[in-house]
Amino acid sequence: MASVCEFDPITGSIPATKVEITVSCRNLLDRDTFSKSDPCKYFSFYITEFGRTEVIDNTLNPDFVRKYILDYFFEEKQNLLGSPGSHLEKPLGGIPGKNCGTIILTAEELGNCRDCATMQFCANKLDKKDFFGRSDPFMMFYRSNEDGTFTICHKTEVVKNTLNPVWQPFTIPVRALCNGDYDRSIKVEVYDWDRDGSHDFIGEFTTSYRELSRGQSQFNVYEMWFVLICWCKPSVLCCSITQVTLLSFLVEAEHTFLDYIKAGYGRKYTQSPSWNPSQSTSLHYMNPYQMNAYAMALKAVGEIIQDYDSDKMFPALGFGAKIPPDGRVSHEFPLNGNVDNPYCNGMEGILEAYHESLKTVQLYGPTNFAPVINHVARYAAAVQDGSQYFVLLIITDGVISDMAQTKEAIVNAAKLPMSIIIVGVGQAEFDAMVELDGDDVRISSRGKLAERDIVQFVPFRDYMDRTGNHVLSMARLAKDVLAEIPDQLILYMKSRGIKPNQTPPDYSPPGLSPTPTV
């Protein structure tokens, strides 16, 4: 059984274990005129979207590769886990009078294995399936289940027009491949890709994690037999053989966010609110009886993230305002008014500097994000050894005047040790912020795609509790705002080959202004 998860202060419950959900559909309603549907499933609980699968082209019977990890609570009603074989089938609805098909959910408890396997395959003399060209082969990997069925766990890319493909190396968690059971059967199927979704079966073989872990050797050359028809004499059949070979196999531990934290890798946190006039109708209005939306967002996120900073000293910047003494417009000014030392002592220091700055600055457009992103990126660029990771929190009403420059700044920052959190306050439309988030479409600039998704956006209004329970609503806000930071940090560390057991070097602030690290 998987280890007991951490206590959740919001629900007061302790998950007994984690389970992996696999999704399939059968006999979906065809919604395309000249081809089959391109299905993608969305999952939501109550009104919050939980996740979505990848899109599979031209099929009415998709087996989705993307998995979902859920906490299992014994004391709560969870129909899937209580169903026979942890297998649940439900008819799809939504169109009256139509049979929309069936969704199939399969659950399996996850083991404790934290290793990741990176492997690469090639094949020789595959069967020619295309009449006017060679085959377009790809591989599908399945792990066996206790009931004799198989669950898809990986699909390679398609290599076009070849009978001797060399597929790109891919990395997969060992628990996804075999859930820690090294002798569990793994089935591999090879197909010829067809645009209409009717992929041609070429052959298959079975192996196990234990066999694959032997690496490139005679034990990892797999033979597949197929029948050939002689075109000149259709009545004559002959058998041929093809080989799939494992070229490389490497296993590494999958390090967690806490591994890096315990190893002493630090995070630096920068706050950056945008500005409006200090009036009763303003989002910045200082009500003597309660905090405004900006202050609530600062406090909710800051109180969580400050515990990961050793000295609790945070630079806090404002942008989009005229600042004293000469009234010049600035897009990266210190809230405490000290250009040489913009640091504030903890959350209380940040809130104090924020409230004081409201009395001295004046809203003035345009509202530019790029300067403050580039400001933090300059410091992140000077510390790429993993000893520091930078988190920029931007609190904004959604107005942005330099979208193209901001996209370019984010694309450039994506290769640096930094993440960006954007909290939108007020009732404005946040389409631009959603675009910057990049969850659906990875952000790009000048034809260059961002190396990582480093932006997380949430609208503050979605977390306002109508009953006035700000403690609960702000806890939910902080949880969702910070949810992607661990994975973003881990992805950066892995891409640079930085492991948590390596002692980070002593950090010296770079020679930039202001001199302390952002």
Side-chain angles (χ1 to χ4, degrees), residues 124-306:
N124 293 308
K125 301 179 180 179
L126 291 180
D127 189 12
K128 182 179 180 295
K129 293 294 186 180
D130 294 342
F131 186 76
F132 292 108
R134 300 179 178 87
S135 295
D136 305 316
F138 66 94
M139 304 174 75
M140 304 275 282
F141 290 75
Y142 303 82
R143 67 167 184 255
S144 61
N145 302 317
E146 293 181 358
D147 60 358
T149 61
F150 286 86
T151 298
I152 187 171
C153 55
H154 183 73
K155 176 182 176 181
T156 70
E157 79 282 7
V158 176
V159 182
K160 291 295 190 72
N161 197 31
T162 180
L163 303 181
N164 302 291
V166 178
W167 288 281
Q168 293 293 321
F170 65 90
T171 300
I172 182 172
V174 172
R175 69 182 186 182
L177 195 62
C178 65
N179 207 8
D181 180 358
Y182 294 170
D183 296 308
R184 190 172 186 169
S185 292
I186 299 170
K187 181 173 70 171
V188 183
E189 296 177 343
V190 182
Y191 287 89
D192 168 46
W193 177 85
D194 288 328
R195 187 179 299 276
D196 62 1
S198 59
H199 309 308
D200 301 316
F201 179 73
I202 294 178
E204 69 177 28
F205 62 89
T206 59
T207 183
S208 67
Y209 176 84
R210 193 177 300 278
E211 290 181 4
L212 291 173
S213 64
R214 295 182 179 183
Q216 186 179 24
S217 67
Q218 60 182 357
F219 301 103
N220 281 311
V221 178
Y222 302 95
E223 295 182 344
M224 298 189 305
W225 293 84
F226 56 90
V227 176
L228 292 175
I229 300 177
C230 182
W231 294 104
C232 57
K233 297 181 179 180
S235 60
V236 178
L237 301 179
C238 60
C239 292
S240 185
I241 188 173
T242 185
Q243 290 184 336
V244 176
T245 303
L246 177 68
L247 294 178
S248 63
F249 188 89
L250 176 66
V251 180
E252 293 183 308
E254 184 179 30
H255 301 298
T256 67
F257 177 68
L258 288 179
D259 289 336
Y260 288 100
I261 296 300
K262 289 186 291 186
Y265 293 83
R267 292 199 296 181
K268 289 295 178 184
Y269 177 43
T270 302
Q271 317 254 0
S272 195
S274 62
W275 302 94
N276 279 325
S278 185
Q279 301 173 353
S280 60
T281 57
S282 169
L283 294 168
H284 287 286
Y285 177 61
M286 290 187 290
N287 189 319
Y289 303 105
Q290 68 179 34
M291 291 188 294
N292 62 33
Y294 279 84
M296 291 176 67
L298 279 170
K299 187 174 178 64
V301 179
E303 286 190 341
I304 299 295
I305 205 169
Q306 70 175 351

Side-chain angles (χ1 to χ4, degrees), residues 29 36 59 104 106 141 152 170 223 268 275 279 302 304 316 345 368 371 386 393 396 407 426 444 457:
L29 184 65
K36 298 183 179 65
T59 180
I104 305 168
T106 306
F141 290 75
I152 187 171
F170 65 90
E223 295 182 344
K268 289 295 178 184
W275 302 94
Q279 301 173 353
I304 299 295
N345 188 3
N368 296 337
L393 169 63
T396 177
K407 284 184 176 182
S444 63
F457 165 74

